[in-house]
Amino acid sequence: MNFVSIRIITGDVARLVGFYERATGVRAVRATEDFAELATAGATLAIAGVRTVALFAPGSARPADNRSVIVEFLVDDVDRVHRDLAGFVDDFVGGPTTMPWGNRSLLLRDPDGNLVNFFTPVTPEAVEKFAR
C-alpha cells in the first residue's frame, strides 16, 4: 500500500486551488472545473468540488467542515514561508514555533477553514527523519 493523496472537498474549487498554488508554489493540474491536483514529490493534494461527492456517496463529505485534519507541507525554510505568506493568508493560527518533536511549524487556515501546517525539521533527529 502507498499513501498517495488527500482530497479536500470545497464549494469553490478555483478559489481553493488558487490559494494552494500561491501558498505552496506548486502549479495545479486541472482535470475539470470540479477537480484539480497539486502534485509534490511525496504526495498529491487533490481539490474537488461538491458535485464530485455524489460520484462516491451523496452527502458523505461537506465543504468547509473539517476540524480534525491538518494538511502538512515539508519546506526548506518555514520562517521564509511565513514572510512570503504575510499579507496573503488571512488566518495564521500560530507560529513559526519550534515543536517538542523537532519541527519548526507555521499553522494557518486555508479559505475553507482547513488547518495547514508548513514545517521545517530543525533538530538533528527531525532532520534525519525527513532526509531526502
Side-chain angles (χ1 to χ4, degrees), residues 51-124:
R51 291 185 295 203
T52 66
V53 175
L55 300 172
F56 291 102
S60 62
R62 293 186 306 262
D65 199 29
N66 171 37
R67 292 291 182 228
S68 63
V69 174
I70 302 173
V71 179
E72 297 189 301
F73 295 94
L74 173 65
V75 297
D76 291 331
D77 182 350
V78 74
D79 293 287
R80 180 186 48 76
V81 170
H82 184 237
R83 287 189 302 274
D84 290 348
L85 295 179
F88 171 69
V89 170
D90 292 330
D91 191 358
F92 284 106
V93 176
T97 304
T98 301
M99 306 309 268
W101 46 88
N103 294 331
R104 189 154 173 78
S105 294
L106 170 65
L107 194 62
L108 56 95
R109 289 195 185 278
D110 72 15
D112 279 4
N114 299 300
L115 283 170
V116 181
N117 181 36
F118 289 95
F119 72 95
T120 301
V122 293
T123 65

